[in-house]
Amino acid sequence: MVPQLDPTIGSSPQLSPELDPMAESRCADVGADAMGAFFNEELSFPPVHANFASSQEQLIRFSKNVHDNVHGNIYLDPVRYVTLNNLVSYLGKKKREAIGVNGGVTHLVYPGAVHSRFEHSLGVYWLAGAAIQKLKQNQGLELGIDNFDIQTVKLAGLLHDVGHGPFSHLFEREFLPRVVSGCKWSHEQMSLKMVDHIVDEHHIDVDFEMIKKVKEMIVASSELTLPKGTREKHFLYDIVANGRNGIDVDKFDYIVRDSRACGLGCNFEFQRSELNFLEALAIELMVVDALLKANDFLEISSSIEDPSDYWKLDDSIIKTIEIAPNQELKESRDLILRIRRRNLYQFCNEYTVPKENLEHFKDVTPQDIVCSQKNGGAILKEEDVAVSNVRIDLARGRHNPLESINFFKDYESKEKFPIPDNRISHLLPACYQDMIVRVYSKKPELVGAISEAFENFQLKTYGIKAQVHETPEKKKRRL
C-alpha cells in the first residue's frame, strides 16, 4: 500500500496505520495537515526501506550535530554547515517575538521569552528535512523527489527568515510605514537579497539553480510568489511557506518554540496572560516611538536596501540609543528609560470591529480619537494618543483555510474532495478574521479624556459603543 498525495495541491502523505497509532480513530485525515502527524517530541522515522535507513545513517555519520532544546539533535550536512556558520552573524541577535501578534518585545514582560531567529531557522531546517524525507519515503518515485529537492527544501528552511529586521514584525509593519512613504518593503523580499549577499560575501559553493529555487520557496506565501504553473513540483513550495492554506513547518516550529520560551502551555491563567499582553503591547508602541524619534539621527531606515548594511541592524539598536550621549536622541532615551522603569503607556480600552464593518475597515489613528473629543476638559493632541490596530486570522485572511484543504476517504484512495461548510462541525468559527482596536494614553492623567473620546469615536463610526465595558473609574483617576 502506498499512501496517496495529491500533487496538484501539495498535500503531504497520510501516515500508514503501522506508523500512526491514531489512524484507527480518525474519520478522515487532511492531506496537507498530515505533516503534523510526525511533528512530535521524538521526530524519528522508522526505516521502512533499507535504502532510506542507509541514507539516514550516512546523514548522521557525515553531518555536524547541533543540539536544539525543542527538537533535540539536529544534523547538518556540509553545505548547510558552511551556511550555518555564516548565519550566526546574521541571525544570532535577531530576537523572535514570543507571541506572533505582539511584536518583538515580549521578553520585556516574559523575561524568559528569549530565543533568536537563528534557533528558529535551525528548527525549520530540521522540520523541512523531516517533511521532505517523509514524502520521499512514501511517494518518492511517484513524485520524482530526488536529493536535489531534499537539499533545496532544507536550505529554504534554514534561510527563510534571514530578511527580518530588529524586533521582527514590529520593524516591518509599525516602524517602516511611518518613516518611508509608500513603503512596499517586506522581510521576504529582503530575504532574497540577503541570500544572495551571504552566498557572494562568503563564497559559498552552492548550485545556482538550487539558490534560485530556495528564493522561490522563501516567498511562496507572499505577494512575490511565482504563478503556480511556472514551478516544477510545486508541492515542495508548501513545506516551508505555505501560501495555499498556511499549514507549514515554519508555524510548526515557532508555535512550540514560542510557547516553551514563554512558559505557556495549553493551561495557563488567561486573565494574567491578557494583562501581560496589554503591557507588552504598550512596550511595543513605546519602542516604535523611540525608533521613530531616533530615525533622523541614526538613519535606521536607510539600511533596508543594502544587505551589507542591513545585516548589522538588530535588536541592539535600543542599547545604542540608550547609552548614546547625543542630545538628538534624548527623547528616544527617555522613552526607553520609561520602559525600564515600567512607566508605560496606559491602556484605555478596546473594541472588536463589528463583523459587518470588517471588509471596509480603515485603521483607526490618533487623529480619529482626538477629533472625537467633546468641548471642555483636557485638550488632547495626537501625540498624547497611541493606537494599535491588530488583525487576527487563521492565515488566510477572511477566508476559511479549510477551503484550501482536500481530503481523502482512506489511505489508498486517489480521489480528493473538499468538505463543504454544511458538513463541518458547527463548533468551528463562522468568521475567520478579527480586527481589534486598542487605545493607549501616553500620559496617565489623560486616560479619562482619551477614553471618553474613544467612546465618542465608536458612537460616531458605528452608532454604538462597540467596547465591552467602560474604562474603570479608578483607572481614569490614576495619576
Side-chain angles (χ1 to χ4, degrees), residues 157-378:
L158 188 62
L159 295 170
H160 79 286
D161 265 352
V162 75
H164 266 291
F167 301 104
S168 304
H169 296 287
L170 179 154
F171 180 81
E172 177 179 353
R173 298 173 183 172
E174 305 297 333
F175 170 70
L176 284 181
R178 294 170 65 178
V179 294
V180 181
S181 179
C183 180
K184 298 294 183 181
W185 187 94
S186 70
H187 75 271
E188 292 96 347
Q189 185 180 41
M190 193 64 200
S191 290
L192 305 187
K193 295 182 180 181
M194 292 300 296
V195 168
D196 288 335
H197 175 70
I198 292 172
V199 172
D200 294 340
E201 181 75 10
H202 299 283
H203 310 291
I204 298 175
D205 184 16
V206 60
D207 185 273
F208 172 80
E209 188 63 26
M210 181 178 290
I211 287 297
K212 177 176 177 291
K213 290 186 179 296
V214 163
K215 293 194 291 185
E216 291 173 357
M217 290 178 183
I218 288 173
V219 299
S221 64
S222 75
E223 296 177 355
L224 303 172
T225 186
L226 296 175
K228 184 178 290 186
T230 65
R231 304 185 308 214
E232 293 182 32
K233 303 177 186 177
H234 53 77
F235 61 91
L236 296 175
Y237 294 76
D238 287 343
I239 294 176
V240 173
N242 190 336
R244 191 167 48 80
N245 55 41
I247 300 173
D248 53 47
V249 295
D250 178 29
K251 295 181 183 65
F252 288 170
D253 181 82
Y254 75 65
I255 289 173
V256 174
R257 193 174 300 277
D258 291 352
S259 297
R260 179 171 294 189
C262 280
L264 298 177
C266 295
N267 299 311
F268 58 91
E269 297 179 41
F270 177 78
Q271 184 177 11
R272 179 183 298 178
S273 297
E274 175 68 10
L275 291 173
N276 286 345
F277 170 78
L278 295 174
E279 185 176 312
L281 183 55
I283 295 174
E284 176 183 321
L285 294 168
M286 296 176 77
V287 168
V288 171
D289 282 350
L291 293 177
L292 290 171
K293 293 178 183 298
N295 188 58
D296 287 343
F297 183 72
L298 295 180
E299 299 182 331
I300 300 168
S301 59
S302 66
S303 65
I304 63 174
E305 298 301 332
D306 186 352
S308 62
D309 290 332
Y310 182 74
W311 79 268
K312 305 170 187 175
L313 193 59
D314 57 38
D315 293 6
S316 64
I317 187 69
I318 290 297
K319 179 60 69 174
T320 299
I321 295 170
E322 195 171 15
I323 64 176
N326 309 77
Q327 183 63 26
E328 292 88 344
L329 296 175
K330 184 179 185 306
E331 287 184 279
S332 294
R333 281 198 305 273
D334 289 346
L335 276 171
I336 297 170
L337 183 60
R338 283 185 62 179
I339 293 173
R340 301 294 188 202
R341 293 176 175 175
R342 283 302 189 267
N343 178 18
L344 306 179
Y345 293 171
Q346 293 297 302
F347 174 70
C348 296
N349 218 315
E350 68 179 23
Y351 72 86
T352 300
V353 177
K355 184 167 60 175
E356 60 272 17
N357 298 100
L358 276 174
E359 185 174 355
H360 303 292
F361 175 80
K362 293 183 179 179
D363 282 357
V364 179
T365 66
Q367 183 181 35
D368 294 326
I369 308 303
V370 170
C371 291
S372 299
Q373 63 182 319
K374 293 181 178 179
N375 294 329

Side-chain angles (χ1 to χ4, degrees), residues 384-397:
D384 298 327
V385 183
V387 181
S388 168
N389 299 274
V390 178
R391 190 182 303 275
I392 304 172
D393 58 44
L394 300 178
R396 294 292 295 161

Side-chain angles (χ1 to χ4, degrees), residues 374 453-466:
K374 293 181 178 179
F454 187 38
E455 292 178 8
N456 294 336
F457 169 77
Q458 296 170 56
L459 287 169
K460 182 172 63 175
T461 305
Y462 307 112
I464 59 170
K465 291 182 182 180

Side-chain angles (χ1 to χ4, degrees), residues 6 123 345 397 425:
D6 174 16
Y345 293 171
S425 169

